[in-house]
Amino acid sequence: MPSIKPAPPDLYTLADLTAGFDPKKPGSILRTLSFRQFQGYYPIKSAAKNLSRIKKVSLHDAHISEAVYRYLQKIGKHPVGFMGGHSESRAEEPYQEIARLARLITRDGFLVVSGGGPGIMEAAHVGAFFANASDADFENSLKALAATNPPKVPKGTNGLKLLNDDGTRNKPGDPVYSRALFDWYVAADKIMTSYPGRPGESLAVSTWEYGEEPVMPFATAYAAYFQNSIREASLVRETRAGIVYGRGKGGTVREIFQDVEENFYVLETNKFTPMIFFDPKAYWNPPKPDPETIKLDDATSIIFTKAFAHPPPGMSPVDWTAKRIFSTDHQQILNLLKAHAAANQAKFAALLA
C-alpha cells in the first residue's frame, strides 16, 4: 500500500509536486510525488478505513493550513479567489477571458488564489503568471495553450480503474489515460518554462481528492490538501478580498454557497465580500432557461434579501446589491475589488500582523 508523505516545512513548490516527472517518458506522470500522495490517500476514499492513515492526512492538512497563513502574511497582498470547473478547454472563450481578468487583477497588486487543477483554475494562474509579460507575449501564450493537444484534461479512463482499492496502480487502467495526462501537462510545461520573464505570483490550493489529474504548472506556490472539504473551506475563507466565479458545476456551486453563508451573517456593507459571477455567455444568469447553464441570480437575490431584511437596531441595512454582480466588464470588476480592499485595509493589516 503506498505511503503518505508528511507536509513540507512551507507550502509545496511545483518542483516538489512533480518530483519523478520526466518530460521524455509519458508514464512518469504517474510517478510524481503528487500522484503518489493521491495513491496514499486513495484507500481512505475507498472501503479501507485506517485510523493511522487518517491521522497522517489530518496532520498534513493542518500543517498546510498554517503554512497558508504564513504565506499570506509574507506576501502581503489582498487575495482574490477564482473558482470554476476543471473541464473548460484552453481553446474556449471562458478559459481565455478568465486568464485576461486574472492578469489584470494581478497587475493591480492583488494575489490570485485558485485551485491547482485544469480548466478555469489553470486559466486564473495563467493570467497571473504572465502579469509581467507584454500584451503581445501574453496573447501569444494563450494561443499556444489553445493549440495544445489535448486542450483540456481527459475525462476518464474508458471504464478502466486507475487504482486498486489499496492505492496500487491497476495496470490496465494506465496507458491511454496516462498518455493523455502527459500530453496535457507537458504542453503547458513547455509554454511555462520557455517564458523568459519574471512570473506573477499566485497561490494554487489543490486537493488529492481528485489526484488523478496532474497539477497545472503556472502557480508560484501550492497548498496541496488531502481533504477536499478543508481545501474548499480554506479557498473561500482566505479570499475575502473578493471571489470571481467562472463557469463550473457541482464543486463550484458548493463554493458559491459557502461564500453565500459567509456573507449571510455580515452586519456591515463593507464586510460583504464581493461575489463576481463572470462568464462571457451569461452562464450564471441566462436570459432564458437553458439546461447548459446554472441560473443563480434569482436564488442569491432571494437569499440576501431575506438575510438583510431586518438589520439590528441602530444599524443600516447591508447594501449587497452592488457587491454581488454578474459582469464581464474588467474595469467594473477591478473597481469593485479596489473599493472593497480600501474599505477593509485596517482589518487586512490586522490579519497580516
Side-chain angles (χ1 to χ4, degrees):
M1 184 181 296
S3 62
I4 289 173
K5 303 298 181 185
D10 295 302
L11 295 178
Y12 287 96
T13 65
L14 180 63
D16 293 333
L17 294 174
T18 58
F21 176 72
D22 184 339
K24 296 180 180 180
K25 296 180 179 179
S28 67
I29 198 76
L30 303 183
R31 291 195 288 273
T32 61
L33 172 65
S34 187
F35 192 83
R36 286 184 278 117
Q37 290 283 66
F38 168 57
Q39 288 183 271
Y41 182 54
Y42 194 79
I44 297 176
K45 291 181 58 179
S46 60
K49 301 300 181 184
N50 182 300
L51 183 58
S52 173
R53 193 164 287 250
I54 292 171
K55 286 180 178 178
K56 289 179 180 179
V57 161
S58 299
L59 184 60
H60 172 282
D61 288 356
H63 280 296
I64 292 298
S65 291
E66 197 271 336
V68 169
Y69 287 128
R70 286 189 279 109
Y71 172 82
L72 293 176
Q73 286 178 320
K74 178 181 177 182
I75 203 166
K77 297 179 180 180
H78 289 271
V80 175
F82 278 75
M83 313 301 184
H86 70 145
S87 61
E88 296 305 318
S89 167
R90 294 164 175 163
E92 297 298 325
E93 186 181 13
Y95 177 105
Q96 295 176 8
E97 282 301 306
I98 283 286
R100 293 184 180 108
L101 178 62
R103 180 172 180 258
L104 174 69
I105 288 172
T106 304
R107 288 164 73 94
D108 209 80
F110 291 94
L111 174 71
V112 165
V113 181
S114 190
I120 295 298
M121 295 173 282
E122 182 187 64
H125 293 293
V126 166
F129 183 87
F130 289 105
N132 301 312
S134 68
D135 291 349
D137 285 345
F138 169 61
E139 290 296 331
N140 286 336
S141 295
L142 280 186
K143 290 179 182 178
L145 281 164
T148 57
N149 185 23
K152 63 180 179 179
V153 79
K155 287 185 177 180
T157 58
N158 296 319
L160 297 173
K161 286 185 64 177
L162 193 63
L163 298 178
N164 300 311
D165 287 349
D166 65 355
T168 56
R169 282 168 54 188
N170 184 35
K171 294 296 184 181
D174 287 357
V176 174
Y177 188 68
S178 62
R179 178 71 207 207
L181 291 178
F182 172 84
D183 289 342
W184 176 85
Y185 177 83
V186 78
D189 185 64
K190 287 179 180 177
I191 293 168
M192 186 269 294
T193 54
S194 66
Y195 172 60
R198 177 173 58 89
E201 294 172 303
S202 69
L203 172 63
V205 185
S206 59
T207 175
W208 286 305
E209 187 83 17
Y210 312 118
E212 66 274 15
E213 296 174 351
V215 68
M216 58 81 228
F218 291 100
T220 52
Y222 294 81
Y225 286 90
F226 285 102
Q227 300 166 94
N228 187 47
S229 57
I230 296 177
R231 169 254 189 181
E232 287 195 334
S234 179
L235 265 171
V236 174
R237 184 180 61 241
E238 303 304 341
T239 52
R240 305 320 292 166
I243 301 180
V244 176
Y245 294 101
R247 59 172 55 197
K249 295 180 181 176
T252 307
V253 170
R254 178 168 55 225
E255 290 156 353
I256 288 169
F257 282 97
Q258 284 178 292
D259 195 10
V260 166
E261 181 186 12
E262 293 282 344
N263 277 328
F264 191 96
Y265 294 105
V266 301
L267 300 177
E268 304 172 38
T269 300
N270 285 346
K271 301 300 186 291
F272 189 105
T273 300
M275 300 181 70
I276 299 155
F277 293 87
F278 180 90
D279 186 77
K281 297 180 181 178
Y283 180 81
W284 300 112
N285 62 333
K288 58 183 180 180
D290 183 344
E292 296 301 317
T293 63
I294 300 176
K295 186 173 175 61
L296 286 179
D297 47 351
D298 294 341
T300 52
S301 292
I302 291 168
I303 292 170
F304 289 132
T305 298
K306 177 179 178 61
F308 305 123
H310 304 289
M315 298 194 72
S316 300
V318 172
D319 182 10
W320 59 271
T321 56
K323 302 190 81 173
R324 184 231 56 181
I325 64 172
F326 295 80
S327 177
T328 55
D329 185 324
H330 290 189
Q331 195 59 51
Q332 179 192 14
I333 292 167
L334 182 59
N335 290 344
L336 174 58
L337 294 173
K338 291 170 72 172
H340 180 75
N344 290 276
Q345 186 59 42
K347 178 182 177 183
F348 182 68
L351 287 173
L352 293 182

